[in-house]
Amino acid sequence: MADLSSLKDLGTVAQASAPVRERKVDAQGRSYATGKRKNAVARVWVKAGSGKIIVNGKDYSAYFARPVLQMILQQPIVAAARSGQFDVVATVAGGGLSGQAGAVRHGISKAMTYFEPGLRSVLKKGGFLTRDSRVVERKKYGKAKARRSFQFSKR
């Protein structure tokens, strides 16, 4: 390397090799993704449609009765400004309702990026593509719970 002008050419090569996201759609026009949260795992299919969300064979408002959980499911769709444009079919198992709602939200976000790669930046800024890895800590022997000790008594 004789001077810094040769470094100028290296910058253009690095920019050109940035990964170009491709659309991943199956024969039925659906995108598939797996979402996870706590001990819940959701399998999610997204396709173009009228905005129906079905979870385990039921409408999402019937499966997730609490309004907070329904809002959690809607977050990635609202953030991407795609209300009423995607039909979502999800099967979820494991964990409780809160974890299941988070898993379905994670799956919807991933499937939407596979269906429409341009949405990735919006969903990533909202934090919907990050898998929340917090899980319950295991119970240790000699303890009442994971960290709680038994009550101490001097006599």
Side-chain angles (χ1 to χ4, degrees):
M1 229 170 60
D3 56 37
L4 296 176
S5 61
S6 60
L7 290 175
K8 184 170 57 174
D9 300 331
L10 292 174
T12 57
V13 173
Q15 289 175 353
S17 64
V20 177
R21 306 260 178 218
E22 291 185 16
R23 192 166 186 243
K24 296 179 186 173
V25 181
D26 65 4
Q28 286 88 20
R30 306 173 301 181
S31 289
Y32 169 79
T34 305
K36 295 182 181 182
R37 171 80 171 93
K38 293 186 178 179
N39 283 332
V41 179
R43 301 183 306 159
V44 179
W45 289 268
V46 169
K47 65 178 181 178
S50 59
K52 289 188 295 188
I53 302 176
I54 296 169
V55 179
N56 287 354
K58 297 180 183 177
D59 187 57
Y60 80 102
S61 56
Y63 191 82
F64 296 111
R66 280 187 274 167
V68 174
L69 300 180
Q70 295 174 17
M71 180 205 59
I72 287 173
L73 251 64
Q74 293 283 340
Q75 280 178 333
I77 298 168
V78 171
R82 296 290 188 271
S83 296
Q85 295 182 22
F86 289 126
D87 282 349
V88 177
V89 177
T91 58
V92 63
L97 284 177
S98 176
Q100 288 186 352
V104 173
R105 179 180 85 166
H106 185 225
I108 288 172
S109 304
K110 283 172 64 176
M112 282 172 62
T113 59
Y114 294 149
F115 192 85
E116 198 174 326
L119 297 176
R120 183 173 171 82
S121 61
V122 175
L123 294 173
K124 192 152 179 69
K125 277 189 188 124
F128 302 120
L129 296 177
T130 306
R131 193 260 201 243
D132 190 351
S133 61
R134 296 174 298 169
V135 292
V136 177
E137 191 175 346
R138 79 171 188 88
K139 184 195 175 301
K140 280 72 168 192
Y141 57 88
K143 297 280 188 178
K145 293 165 64 174
R147 298 186 181 201
R148 169 122 170 64
S149 297
F150 295 111
Q151 184 170 343
F152 175 74
S153 174
K154 191 179 265 187
R155 293 181 237 305

